[in-house]
Amino acid sequence: MFRLEVRSSTPTWFNLALPLLAIGATLILCSGLIALAGAGVLEAYGVMFTASLGDSYAITETMVRATPMIFTGLAVAVAFRAKFWNIGAEGQLLAGAVASCFVGAIPMPGPLAMVLMAVAGAAAGAAVALVPATLRVKFKVDDVVSSLLLNSVIYYALMALIEGPWKDSFSGYPISPPIEDSANFPVLLEGTRLHLGVVAALIAAPLIWFLIVRTTLGFRIRVTGENPEAARYGGIHVERVLISTALLSGALAGLAGVGEVGGVHFQVMSDISP
C-alpha cells in the first residue's frame, strides 16, 4: 500500500529541479497547442528563443519587459505568505504609475524626482492594497473579491483622468502629459531600453527573500499565513501583520508602475499595464 505524507522538508535538488520540471511541462503542453494550430513546434520555439534571448538587444528587452512582472510577482508572493489573497496587483501598479507620473511632471532635479516618484508610486500602491486588507480585517470581506474588483475601479478612474482633465493637450490620444526629462530613469546600456528600474527589481528580489526568511517581520508573516490561531497564541497581532503585509505588497506593485513610467513610457496611458 502506498500512502501520501506531507514532507517535513524538501531536499535542495528537488527545489532546484521543480521550476525546470514546470518549464518542461509547459513547453510540452504548449507544443500540442502549436501543433493543433498547424505551425511547426520547433520553428515556433526557435522564434520565441531568438526574440527573447537571441542577441544582446533581445536580452535587454526581455529584462525590461520582465521588470514589472518581477515587482508584481514579489507583491503577490509576499501577500500570499500571510494568506492575504492580493489579486489587485494590476490596480496597484496603475495607481503607482499615476502617482509617479504626477510627481515626475513637476520640475525638479533628476535624482530627487526619481526618489519622490518611487516614494509616491509605492505609497499609492500601498494605499490601494490597504482597502481590501482593511475590509477583511474589520468587516471579514473576502479579500479575493475586493482586491480583484478594485482593479476595475482603479482602471476606470485612470481612464477618466486621461480622457478628461489630465489628457495631454498636445495629443489626440488618451494619454497623460509626459514627465520631465530630468525624471526619466537613466539608460544603463546605450542603444537599449535597459533602465534603472531593472536593477531595482533585481535588487528587490533577494531583499524580499531576506525579509521573509531572515527577519522578525518575515517570521510573523509566515506564521500568520500558516496558522493564525497559533500566531495569536504566540502573541502575534495577526490583524496588524495582515495590514503590514498588504502595505508592503501594494508598495511593491506600485513600484512596478513607477518603472513603467520612469523607464519605458514616460507618461500614463490606458495600456501601461503589461
Side-chain angles (χ1 to χ4, degrees):
M1 292 289 294
F2 292 98
R3 185 174 63 181
L4 297 177
E5 294 183 356
V6 178
R7 291 176 179 264
S8 58
S9 62
T10 54
T12 302
W13 69 266
F14 183 80
N15 291 330
L16 295 175
L18 193 59
L20 298 177
L21 290 173
I23 293 172
T26 301
L27 292 175
I28 292 172
L29 291 173
C30 289
S31 297
L33 297 176
I34 294 171
L36 287 174
V41 174
L42 294 179
E43 181 182 358
Y45 284 143
V47 171
M48 183 178 72
F49 178 83
T50 302
S52 59
L53 300 171
D55 53 36
S56 59
Y57 181 79
I59 293 172
T60 59
E61 277 297 294
T62 298
M63 295 174 68
V64 169
R65 292 173 182 269
T67 296
M69 307 296 182
I70 294 173
F71 274 120
T72 52
L74 291 172
V76 172
V78 168
F80 283 14
R81 290 307 296 265
K83 296 295 191 294
F84 170 62
W85 308 115
N86 182 15
I87 316 297
E90 182 174 13
Q92 293 146 28
L93 180 154
L94 294 177
V98 170
S100 63
C101 192
F102 268 119
V103 172
I106 301 172
M108 67 180 81
L112 178 62
M114 295 174 204
V115 171
L116 292 182
M117 285 172 64
V119 171
V128 173
L130 183 61
V131 174
T134 303
L135 290 174
R136 171 176 165 175
V137 168
K138 297 295 185 182
F139 305 105
K140 308 302 180 185
V141 176
D142 191 311
D143 42 355
V144 172
V145 175
S146 59
S147 61
L148 178 63
L149 294 180
L150 202 54
N151 286 331
S152 296
V153 174
I154 301 299
Y155 174 76
Y156 285 113
L158 165 64
M159 292 303 298
L161 283 172
I162 60 178
E163 289 183 347
W166 203 29
K167 184 176 181 180
D168 185 8
S169 57
F170 295 101
S171 173
Y173 298 98
I175 56 177
S176 73
I179 61 176
E180 293 288 317
D181 290 342
S182 61
N184 294 350
F185 289 179
V187 174
L188 304 180
L189 189 61
E190 188 176 355
T192 71
R193 297 195 301 169
L194 194 69
H195 58 83
L196 188 62
V198 177
V199 177
L202 295 177
I203 293 174
L207 287 179
I208 293 300
W209 172 86
F210 183 84
L211 173 72
I212 295 298
V213 176
R214 301 294 185 186
T215 68
T216 302
L217 175 59
F219 174 76
R220 291 174 177 171
I221 289 173
R222 288 184 283 117
V223 173
T224 297
E226 292 171 7
N227 194 327
E229 293 306 317
R232 286 191 178 91
Y233 185 79
I236 295 175
H237 197 299
V238 171
E239 288 74 19
R240 189 176 300 164
V241 171
L242 285 173
I243 293 294
S244 300
T245 304
L247 292 173
L248 176 59
S249 177
L252 288 167
L255 288 175
V258 176
E260 292 300 285
V261 169
V264 180
H265 301 290
F266 313 114
Q267 57 193 163
V268 172
M269 64 277 296
S270 60
D271 58 348
I272 193 170
S273 177

